[in-house]
Amino acid sequence: MPTNLLKVYPALLELNDLNITQRYESLQRIFERDVANNSQFKFNGKKIRPLKVEGVVDMEVLFKHLTTEEDEDETGIKLGSRSFDIHRSNRLHFIKPHIDDKIEDSIRLFSYNDRKEGRTYTRTYIYNLKEKYVIVLESQRSNTDYYLLSAYYLYKEWGEKAMKKKYKNRLLDVY
């Protein structure tokens, strides 16, 4: 379990032989090191913060979002619950080097206007073509900081196609 703290990009974390408690502790240590307790967690000079839920910063919600995925039924309808996602989890330590711009792989950095529930949100994507890995940031209304929304591996068949479509329709500037 402590060896996961030593893993560096692009090696994957070793989670398969850990029980649920050990896996949670291992991932939590990486999250605290790279995100929660990282005073230099910035991208393009802007501080990255978790979303506030009812005015309160909830690191546990962000952690859960970075290590689980939304459950869906057979038809693709979201069920409102989340389950452990090995693909997100064993790449949790990929976030920091991508944010720190320390990756030599082919990266596409772009902003895109996403529509959700009738509203438009400008989101910035850090898309690693080689590793099929995406980090999603959203500029705060003040435009001085970012929210970290998600980070995930594009393993589903429609994932890369959707990302390429967003890139094709990207905004001229990165926000």
Side-chain angles (χ1 to χ4, degrees):
M1 179 170 57
T3 60
N4 279 335
L5 281 171
L6 302 175
K7 295 282 183 180
V8 294
Y9 174 87
L12 299 178
L13 299 178
E14 295 175 21
L15 302 172
N16 292 333
D17 295 332
L18 304 179
N19 65 38
I20 293 171
T21 303
Q22 292 170 327
R23 186 174 65 207
Y24 176 86
E25 289 173 4
S26 181
L27 291 169
Q28 187 67 38
R29 287 179 183 171
I30 292 164
F31 176 76
E32 288 173 3
R33 178 195 68 195
D34 293 352
V35 178
N37 297 331
N38 182 355
S39 62
Q40 298 302 310
F41 197 49
K42 296 178 181 180
F43 183 71
N44 281 348
K46 297 179 182 181
K47 184 137 178 87
I48 301 174
R49 304 175 188 281
L51 280 172
K52 291 182 180 178
V53 179
E54 297 179 7
V56 177
V57 172
D58 191 343
M59 286 292 188
E60 186 61 31
V61 169
L62 178 59
F63 173 74
K64 186 176 180 182
H65 190 76
L66 295 172
T67 58
T68 64
E69 70 176 337
E70 241 177 322
D71 296 324
E72 298 176 348
D73 67 12
E74 312 79 46
T75 62
I77 295 175
K78 296 181 181 182
L79 300 174
S81 58
R82 297 186 72 87
S83 296
F84 174 74
D85 182 0
I86 189 70
H87 302 291
R88 288 178 187 229
S89 295
N90 64 13
R91 291 169 176 80
L92 183 62
H93 66 300
F94 282 18
I95 295 171
K96 188 176 183 319
H98 280 84
I99 293 295
D100 292 346
D101 196 22
K102 302 274 191 220
I103 303 297
E104 299 294 324
D105 296 339
S106 181
I107 303 290
R108 287 190 175 158
L109 173 64
F110 64 97
S111 293
Y112 175 82
N113 283 333
D114 276 313
R115 295 281 299 162
K116 185 175 180 182
E117 299 171 0
R119 292 190 59 195
T120 300
Y121 299 89
T122 301
R123 295 186 170 152
T124 298
Y125 291 82
I126 303 169
Y127 173 30
N128 183 323
L129 294 154
K130 179 182 174 195
E131 292 294 327
K132 300 179 188 176
Y133 188 71
V134 179
I135 297 173
V136 185
L137 304 170
E138 183 175 293
S139 192
Q140 291 184 350
R141 279 185 237 137
S142 65
N143 212 20
T144 58
D145 293 335
Y146 285 114
Y147 292 120
L148 174 58
L149 299 183
S150 193
Y152 51 91
Y153 173 60
L154 297 172
Y155 69 94
K156 295 183 179 175
E157 60 187 58
W158 49 265
E160 282 188 274
K161 183 178 178 181
M163 195 54 54
K164 288 176 183 177
K165 183 178 178 183
K166 286 181 183 197
Y167 183 74
K168 181 180 176 186
N169 296 310
R170 69 191 180 276
L171 300 173
L172 294 176
D173 294 320
V174 175
Y175 293 94

